[in-house]
Amino acid sequence: MSKATETGTAGRAGEIVRFTRRSARRYNRSRTSLPELFVDVYVSVLALGCAVALAVSFVLALRGEFAQRSATDGGLIADPVLVLPSQALEVLLTFAALAAVVVLGRRLGPLAVGGPESTWWLSLPVDRRPMVWGPFLRRAVLAGAGAALAYVPVSVLGALDRTVLSHAYAAATFGALVVAVVGIAALLQGRPQSVGLKVAAASLVVAGALVTVLVPSAWSFGAGLVIASALLVLVSSRAGFVPGGELTRAGAVSGHVGSSLYLMDSNELFRAVRAESRTAYRRGARFFALPTRGPFAALLRADVVAFLRLHPTPTTAVLWLVACVAVMLVDGGLPVFVQLGAVVLAGCAAASGFGTVARRAALVPELDGLVPVNPALVRASRAVMPAATMVLWMALLGGVLVVLGAAGPMLIVVSALAGIGMGAGTVRGASRPATDWSAPPVETPFGPVPRAQLAALLRGVDVTVLSLMPVVLTLYLGVVALPVLVVQAVISGVVFLVVAMTNPHG
Amino acid sequence: MSSRGTVLEAERLVVGYAGAPVCGEMSVAVGAGEVLGVVGFNGAGKSTAARTLAGRQLPISGEVKVHGLLANPDAVAFRREVSAVFDEDLFFPSLTVREHLLLVARGHSLPDPEEQVEEELSFFGLQERADVVPESLSSGQRRRTLLAAGLMRPASLLILDEPEQRLDPVMREALGRRVRSLADGGATVVLVTHDPQLLLDTATSCLVIDDEVTLATPEVAAAIIAGA
């Protein structure tokens, strides 16, 4: 099929797209009254305004806290053996954000069509460019604008001495770079094996993070804009040649992610994002084939093998560990509560990442009844690998912190014990029931609180954070007290037992 | 097997998922005006074979050619020549039945699309439901809408995956006549079906899909289905 022939059908494709949109608009208008529209807009604007006001006041308060800190105020590590330059953390954060955009962009499309479009549009003998280019451009520009806005607090908190104009340039540069990397993700859809494109993406992410943080200026913004524009022009010329299967796949994943976000269902979000992840199909085959003694041993072996296959590499968990430690090594030291917050956040994120088996198994409750063992043992078996992995992760974190001088060697034991409860928390979170958004809020002295929804949303995170509390306390005190060690052991043991004994469907 | 020019050719084709075949290897050539029936037990791999012949799924090995070119739904020429109707219940939620069909008619540059759409609506008994959105349709009406879209557009190769599903006997008979008339007009049809009568009314030859794929006459294939 020649390119010229495909281009010749572009007009007809554009007409098809316009026809579909026009009909959809007409239908939607017929179902929406003006008062309803007004209420929707009013509520959205109000919610957005509240969210922005909260974010701004939080950032300003944090900035004030940062500014008041003197250079001699220590963090969790009083005299670290290794100190990172003050801007290293901001560079790392910017780098991580740009890398995440490339990875997520590639999974979500960014060139994509939804289910109906894939059935009714992609089968037509017309150029597909008009069908995918418009929505892509809208997504890329929105991602850039959103990223620029989200970068403002990072810049404001990362460089207290920077001028307002410098912050604006940093944010604008970051926004332009996000558009550029979304463009590279789109080009990779057509040529997924292209080494050149992968090298270009890596170079842009590294150089972009350095330039955005170290030399934000009109020049950096201009350069970002030129690169983004050039990549968009390139995507525009190739958008019609991305395989239909890839467009459909991307549409399915982005649709799944969109509905998960709308329903605030983190389990579905994980399932959507990891749907296309690499699976080590053959790993553990020999171990699995060994004879077993009793049904529980067989079940445990199946859970271990499934875990090893669905978590081929621990990359994400290692990155969280590095980020968590980096926060503590920044020159000048971040406030203690920020450092402790980073430990909790990294711990929850790493634990949640090890819940793939439990999340998939939760979709098929019948699986739990396949083996004739008590349901509590089934849940315990499912929690063994997340717990074992989190024991390792926490022991590693504790070890690094001991080497850096945060506390004595017993911190490793306390941390490892915390891993047991955190792993169990992952299984509890994975079997979280869908949030019932129709349940009425409960009246409290502080006003109506959506208690049922909050309980559902925090299920799993609650016990993960609880299991971390003794570690947090130890880090805050800087010494490992024996009672804390005992409390940690009790909390982790109780959490594991409670998770095993609790029927999520009961 | 092919009397006139070969339209669809599959050479040593193995179909399946993640490298695991779902049925035996098949080689087949179908000419213009022929109707190839595809039969087999549930799970034998009929739909997988149909999807592979339609280019929607890559074969494990072997190749599929349409008019001598490798099956590739990303090529405009392939999409122009091949119409495939699978049991995909995906519709634009805000487009009516008529608008869905108009979209297809315009996408294929049919002359006088409105009139063609009216003819299809009449053939499939959808006139009274033409201006409602798909969520207001019964499952059989949605199936008829999909079939109308697949049969309305010009195509030299038509692939139908169990088109009789969710259709009443009268509509099944009408569908059989329609398929036969399309073949008489020179179209090649691949018809995956569990309906012996539809097979006898339309097919010129059949593939029986199992661990081994064999060619059979429509009578033998219909007997196999009836026995199943």
Side-chain angles (χ1 to χ4, degrees), chain A residues 219-496:
Chain A
W219 286 105
S220 69
F221 173 53
L225 213 54
V226 168
I227 294 170
S229 307
L231 283 165
L232 288 183
V233 169
L234 210 55
V235 175
S236 166
S237 67
R238 296 185 182 175
F241 300 98
V242 173
E246 166 61 17
L247 295 174
T248 307
R249 179 209 63 78
V253 175
S254 49
H256 194 176
V257 166
S259 52
S260 312
L261 288 174
Y262 179 73
L263 294 169
M264 293 171 70
D265 189 332
S266 60
N267 282 332
E268 278 305 322
L269 188 63
F270 265 101
R271 286 186 194 115
V273 173
R274 294 188 64 99
E276 307 285 326
S277 295
R278 199 161 60 84
T279 303
Y281 282 112
R282 299 185 192 284
R283 187 181 282 178
R286 246 185 251 170
F287 170 65
F288 191 68
L290 291 174
T292 53
R293 279 175 298 176
F296 179 73
L299 179 69
L300 185 59
R301 185 170 293 179
D303 277 327
V304 170
V305 172
F307 186 91
L308 294 174
R309 289 181 181 180
L310 290 175
H311 298 92
T313 54
T315 317
T316 315
V318 171
L319 288 177
W320 277 112
L321 188 74
V322 171
C324 175
V325 175
V327 166
M328 298 181 202
L329 298 178
V330 178
D331 190 19
L334 290 169
V336 168
F337 74 90
V338 173
Q339 297 188 359
L340 291 176
V343 171
V344 173
L345 178 71
C348 288
S352 188
F354 290 125
T356 307
V357 176
R359 264 189 290 273
R360 291 204 184 176
L363 283 179
V364 195
E366 294 79 11
L367 272 179
D368 295 356
L370 279 181
V371 179
V373 293
N374 189 304
L377 286 177
V378 175
R379 288 187 285 275
S381 160
R382 205 135 290 151
V384 164
M385 279 310 281
T389 324
M390 280 314 292
V391 165
L392 275 177
W393 191 89
M394 285 298 291
L396 201 58
L397 174 66
V400 172
L401 293 179
V402 167
V403 170
L404 292 171
M410 285 302 280
L411 176 66
I412 300 173
V413 181
V414 179
S415 304
L417 283 172
I420 298 171
M422 293 167 76
T426 302
V427 174
R428 179 175 156 84
S431 54
R432 183 185 300 142
T435 312
D436 178 11
W437 292 107
S438 63
V442 177
E443 285 299 333
T444 69
F446 307 103
V449 174
R451 193 179 288 169
Q453 290 85 345
L454 282 176
L457 289 173
L458 294 177
R459 190 185 163 97
V461 180
D462 47 5
V463 294
T464 306
V465 174
L466 179 69
S467 303
L468 256 173
M469 280 304 116
V471 176
V472 168
L473 185 66
T474 304
L475 286 174
Y476 183 74
L477 297 174
V479 288
V480 186
L482 189 63
V484 174
L485 183 69
V486 174
V487 167
Q488 178 67 75
V490 170
I491 287 181
S492 288
V494 168
V495 163
F496 193 93

Side-chain angles (χ1 to χ4, degrees), chain B residues 1-2 8 10 24-31 34-39 53 190 199 203-222 224:
Chain B
M1 187 170 167
S2 166
L8 172 70
E25 182 183 286
M26 63 187 88
S27 292
V28 67
V30 197
E34 292 181 349
V35 179
L36 176 73
V38 179
V39 301
L53 291 174
V190 173
L199 201 66
T204 50
S205 60
C206 291
L207 269 185
V208 182
I209 305 251
D210 208 333
D211 289 345
E212 232 176 88
V213 178
T214 51
L215 278 170
T217 62
E219 289 73 20
V220 171
I224 291 172

Side-chain angles (χ1 to χ4, degrees), chain A residues 1 6 12 15-16 19-20 23-24 26-28 31 115-117 119-126 128 243-244, chain B residues 73-77 79-80 88 90-95 99-100 102-104 106-109 133 146 149 153:
Chain A
M1 190 64 231
E6 298 218 1
R12 195 147 34 100
E15 194 189 313
I16 294 294
F19 171 76
T20 313
S23 301
R26 199 169 45 235
Y27 174 78
N28 291 335
R31 286 164 61 101
E117 285 89 350
T119 302
W120 294 88
W121 283 358
L122 296 189
S123 58
L124 299 175
V126 293
R128 289 168 174 168
Chain B
D74 291 322
V76 170
R79 302 203 292 273
R80 193 175 292 127
E88 294 162 323
L90 286 168
F91 294 88
F92 287 104
S94 48
L95 257 60
E99 286 167 338
H100 274 93
L102 265 175
L103 188 153
V104 175
R106 290 178 181 177
H108 285 273
S109 305
V133 290
L146 279 175
R153 45 154 296 184

